[in-house]
DNA sequence: TATATTTCCTAGTTGTCCACTAGGTTTTAT
DNA sequence: ATAAAACCTAGTGGACAACTAGGAAATATA
């Protein structure tokens, strides 16, 4: 699992937007970049992707900027990662379920599919609102709770 | 989760070796390449990594080749992937537990750590012997069982 | 002991993607 | 009219991925 800078920045910018999802005020890319701590020009490009994918809307010109287009409760991290980074899981550039093995490796595809399913269980169940509130789904919290989850291997 | 060609090939070659883990016969890289269906010269390089990491031993010269150095029951897919591809999970080049966020993204690290833990639960629990026998751990099978696990998103 | 076999090592090559930056054009509130 | 912003095109530099080529050293066997 390689979360790219793009993906990380996308999520962080959306979280900042979700934080201020109150009114009708648009947030310029510069402001978001400053508050999320990411490179401004790069974020501008990422916000373009997020707009085309329907996560944010934009207003041009003075007083312009970006607004969250959806309820933070309905935006999963998985959906963000997919639009910015492509599929959650790939094996040699193929989707896990499209891999085909024979002989000794026959059952390998099952493992890859299981690994992807495990990822989906986390990323497609966790929303912007969850992260913002620090109130993660129970099974997510359970996985991150044991101290060894926070150690290297 | 991006399983590289290197990693995929490494696992497949090890599975072939595990299949024939009977006697004292060494298997040349060419043979493994043919039987696993991977490029020979490339596999040679990968086998070098696997040797240095202690997964296989090698014999040079005529009648030489590679032998599995460990019991297939003790070789997890996770350990293979790590030696060949590096850490299972990274966020912008950092380990998940080393990421540091503040403000709206404060709890993001917890999600990344949970995602990695989910991956570990699969990949560090599944061994070469499991895959070879098609007898995967119960929770792995459970994850791969539902039909939607085999579909795109 | 000559020979074929095989690992081992160094060094490419080609292409792709990643993380950004630069600079201009269009839109729009004030 | 002006300033603020999104938007768009084009780069750039570096890293890495997936290989390939070719030779040097080791070793069983005829």
């Amino acid at each position: 699992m390689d979360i790219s800078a793009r993906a990380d920045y996308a999520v962080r910018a959306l979280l900042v937007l979700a934080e201020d999802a109150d009114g009708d005020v648009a947030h310029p890319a510069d402001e978001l970049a400053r508050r999320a701590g990411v490179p401004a020009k790069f974020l501008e490009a990422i916000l373009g992707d997020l707009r085309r994918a329907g996560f944010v809307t934009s207003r041009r010109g003075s007083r312009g900027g970006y607004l969250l287009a959806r309820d933070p409760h309905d935006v999963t991290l998985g959906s963000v990662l997919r639009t910015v980074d492509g599929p959650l899981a790939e094996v040699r550039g193929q989707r896990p379920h499209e891999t085909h093995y024979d002989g000794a490796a026959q059952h390998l595809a099952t493992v890859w599919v299981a690994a992807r399913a495990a990822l989906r269980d986390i990323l497609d169940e966790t929303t912007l609102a969850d992260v913002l509130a620090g109130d993660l789904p129970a099974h997510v919290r359970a996985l991150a709770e044991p101290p060894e989850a926070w150690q290297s291997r």
Side-chain angles (χ1 to χ4, degrees), chain A:
Chain A
M1 187 190 54
D2 275 5
I3 308 293
S4 67
R6 281 184 85 77
D8 186 53
Y9 295 166
V11 172
R12 282 155 70 181
L14 288 174
L15 282 169
V16 171
L17 278 178
E19 201 178 25
D20 283 14
D22 42 349
D24 191 48
V25 258
H27 301 275
D30 307 31
E31 179 206 326
L32 295 177
R34 203 172 11 84
R35 288 175 58 190
V38 316
K41 252 333 204 171
F42 191 23
L43 181 58
E44 213 181 296
I46 298 167
L47 284 165
D49 290 346
L50 293 175
R51 177 179 49 84
R52 280 181 285 274
F55 289 96
V56 299
T57 53
S58 63
R59 278 189 209 142
R60 306 179 77 168
S62 182
R63 288 269 159 175
Y66 295 90
L67 295 128
L68 201 57
R70 301 194 198 153
D71 187 327
H73 288 92
D74 294 337
V75 180
T76 67
L77 294 197
S79 67
V80 178
L81 298 197
R82 278 192 201 91
T83 65
V84 162
D85 263 6
L88 288 189
E90 282 185 332
V91 179
R92 282 179 53 217
Q94 297 175 37
R95 314 303 309 280
H97 64 274
E98 285 166 349
T99 59
H100 169 64
Y101 300 102
D102 49 349
Q106 241 167 8
H107 299 94
L108 197 47
T110 307
V111 180
W112 303 144
V113 167
R116 175 177 65 180
L119 273 184
R120 286 175 170 178
D121 270 357
I122 304 295
L123 299 171
D124 286 337
E125 304 293 327
T126 306
T127 69
L128 290 180
D130 294 339
V131 179
L132 199 56
D135 187 24
L136 305 174
H139 64 290
V140 176
R141 231 178 320 138
L143 273 166
E145 198 188 359
E148 69 259 31
W150 294 80
Q151 285 171 12
S152 285
R153 285 202 187 161

